[in-house]
Amino acid sequence: MFLTTILYLLVSYIRMQGLLLLVFAKYQHLPFIQILSTKSTPTGLFGFWGNKGGVNICLKLYGYYVSIINCHLPPHMANNDQRLEHFDRILEMQNFEGHNIPNILDHDLILWFGDMNFRIEDLGLHYVQESIENRSYTDLWQKDQLSTAKRCDPLLREFQEGPLLFPPTYKFDKNSNNYDTSEKKRKPAWTDRILWRLKRQPSAGSHTPRLPDPHFYLSLKSYISHMMYTISDHKPVTGTFDLELKPLVSVPLITLVPEGLWTAKDMLISYSLTKDFISSSWDWIGLYKVGFRHINDYVSYVWVSDNEVSCSDGLNQVYINIGDIPETEDQFLLCYYSNSLRSVVGISNLFKIQPHAFLEKDPLGEAQPQI
């Protein structure tokens, strides 16, 4: 609900049992976000059960390839090797054969987060608890299994993480801020992590380090846990990033304009296509109130191919029905949805629908626009 009040809307989602991944975006970015693939990778019982594994949404953002992964890796202290195997398996399974999408390691950005279940080795329960109480995390960092693995694994080392300046996020008694007081008394650990990897550019020579693309830069602004939430035995973790990029695509595939030619029931829409865009008979244009949450929250829509009234010099026109929309001061916008690309490829500027009382009649009885 909070995201929708600041003009974010749901772009894509994927679920595998208890694993859920949702991608939201501000509406002005919609024409430059193309959902390429959604994929689930179960790694549970015999590699088929989805209680463990990962889910991925692959998209293009202003022309850059971005993969977002949410995962749940095997639990328990002794299963560290299994966790690393599942991490590698999830990564290996993100292939996109037949979709003309590069290997995931060639994507400009991988965001990877979830309950990774890495634990703190060697140190005893009381020492760990005392270190947490004193906010003395240095020794705990050294024995964190993920940090240890990154020191040994070149590929894992390419995934960055912010500093762990918050207390371990597992395991808590439910509805409290107390670490596990059950008979098992599980040792606290940073199980919930957020990692990212930027694509490395080809190096000039064998001794020259490969640096991230200067036109695509991600910086971490905050990496924190939220102790006030007590409904789970985990504490949620959030990361806030700034992404600076030089767009590879800056012109939307579709330009939409509400023409302001109104009748009591219809509104004329003009739209133009770029040369690269291939339309489908299943493409449609939706009319939305500002603040809509999902692409299906239209108040009216029109199938483009079935309702075209004019087509000349690259300019196309259709009518959309507005007769059932109550008079309101709300702002609206138009979105063109491409069925083949599974994405919004054009949006209009914001506008208001004229009240019916302002649609005056001409001598022939036709409603005249009042712009």
Side-chain angles (χ1 to χ4, degrees):
M1 180 65 71
F2 170 74
L3 289 175
T4 61
T5 62
I6 52 177
L7 302 185
Y8 283 90
L9 68 148
L10 181 63
V11 176
S12 183
Y13 74 93
I14 182 172
R15 183 168 199 160
M16 182 179 69
Q17 292 188 206
L19 268 179
L20 177 65
L21 176 59
L22 304 102
V23 174
F24 291 83
K26 289 188 174 181
Y27 74 88
Q28 61 263 36
H29 298 302
L30 290 183
F32 306 102
I33 299 174
Q34 181 185 344
I35 303 300
L36 301 176
S37 172
T38 58
K39 186 179 181 66
S40 58
T41 306
T43 62
L45 187 64
F46 302 114
F48 295 104
W49 193 244
N51 63 324
K52 298 293 185 290
V55 290
N56 175 26
I57 294 177
C58 174
L59 56 90
K60 287 185 82 171
L61 176 66
Y62 287 92
Y64 294 93
Y65 288 95
V66 176
S67 272
I68 306 171
I69 301 174
N70 184 13
C71 74
H72 190 189
L73 302 183
H76 307 309
M77 178 72 71
N79 289 334
N80 191 41
D81 288 344
Q82 190 179 19
R83 276 188 284 278
L84 295 172
E85 289 173 6
H86 284 209
F87 189 99
D88 289 341
R89 190 186 312 170
I90 292 169
L91 196 61
E92 290 169 1
M93 292 299 291
Q94 305 313 309
N95 49 47
F96 309 99
E97 295 179 5
H99 290 81
N100 197 28
I101 303 172
N103 182 282
I104 190 170
L105 293 179
D106 291 320
H107 290 189
D108 299 281
L109 172 65
I110 303 173
L111 278 171
W112 193 325
F113 48 81
D115 180 3
M116 298 188 181
N117 261 318
F118 290 105
R119 307 304 170 99
I120 296 172
E121 291 187 323
D122 300 336
L123 303 176
L125 172 63
H126 294 295
Y127 183 85
V128 170
Q129 289 178 332
E130 186 176 306
S131 298
I132 294 170
E133 290 176 6
N134 296 328
R135 303 188 67 83
S136 178
Y137 302 136
T138 304
D139 290 344
L140 308 188
W141 295 333
Q142 295 299 317
K143 297 298 182 178
D144 170 67
Q145 289 177 332
L146 177 57
S147 301
T148 301
K150 289 179 68 175
R151 290 193 288 268
C152 304
D153 187 323
L155 177 58
L156 194 56
R157 194 159 52 240
E158 292 189 2
F159 284 88
Q160 303 178 61
E161 183 181 19
L164 296 169
L165 301 179
F166 49 86
T169 57
Y170 175 85
K171 177 182 192 317
F172 288 86
D173 294 336
K174 288 187 178 180
N175 301 311
S176 81
N177 286 325
N178 301 318
Y179 284 104
D180 188 14
T181 59
S182 70
E183 290 183 3
K184 294 182 178 179
K185 288 187 170 56
R186 292 180 180 86
K187 189 164 50 174
W190 287 288
T191 56
D192 311 283
R193 314 291 278 266
I194 300 174
L195 312 178
W196 74 94
R197 177 187 182 272
L198 291 171
K199 179 183 176 181
R200 302 295 173 175
Q201 301 304 300
S203 56
S206 58
H207 301 292
T208 304
R210 296 184 300 166
L211 299 176
D213 187 340
H215 301 306
F216 189 94
Y217 182 71
L218 189 77
S219 57
L220 178 67
K221 294 304 177 184
S222 73
Y223 189 34
I224 58 176
S225 66
H226 300 270
M227 294 291 289
M228 72 285 293
Y229 295 100
T230 60
I231 60 173
S232 169
D233 55 358
H234 292 252
K235 298 298 182 183
V237 174
T238 60
T240 304
F241 297 84
D242 278 348
L243 176 59
E244 300 178 32
L245 58 84
K246 181 179 180 181
L248 300 177
V249 177
S250 57
V251 178
L253 293 173
I254 298 286
T255 301
L256 279 168
V257 179
E259 289 292 355
L261 297 175
W262 320 81
T263 71
K265 292 184 178 180
D266 296 302
M267 175 178 67
L268 184 66
I269 302 168
S270 294
Y271 66 95
S272 57
L273 297 71
T274 63
K275 295 179 180 178
D276 299 329
F277 181 70
I278 300 175
S279 61
S280 160
S281 58
W282 294 102
D283 290 356
W284 49 276
I285 295 173
L287 175 67
Y288 300 86
K289 282 187 180 181
V290 172
F292 67 104
R293 305 177 186 181
H294 188 269
I295 193 62
N296 291 335
D297 292 342
Y298 48 77
V299 295
S300 184
Y301 73 94
V302 59
W303 295 104
V304 172
S305 61
D306 292 344
N307 295 276
E308 197 168 74
V309 295
S310 175
C311 178
S312 61
D313 297 327
L315 185 67
N316 304 269
Q317 293 184 318
V318 295
Y319 277 108
I320 189 169
N321 185 283
I322 58 171
D324 295 330
I325 300 174
E327 294 186 4
T328 176
E329 288 297 313
D330 291 335
Q331 288 187 310
F332 292 80
L333 58 81
L334 297 162
C335 294
Y336 186 112
Y337 185 84
S338 166
N339 184 69
S340 57
L341 297 178
R342 298 188 302 162
S343 304
V344 171
V345 293
I347 62 173
S348 70
N349 292 327
L350 304 183
F351 61 91
K352 290 185 178 181
I353 294 178
Q354 291 286 353
H356 298 165
F358 284 88
L359 298 174
E360 299 176 351
K361 300 285 186 177
D362 72 358
L364 297 177
E366 299 292 332
Q368 296 296 305
Q370 301 291 309
I371 306 298

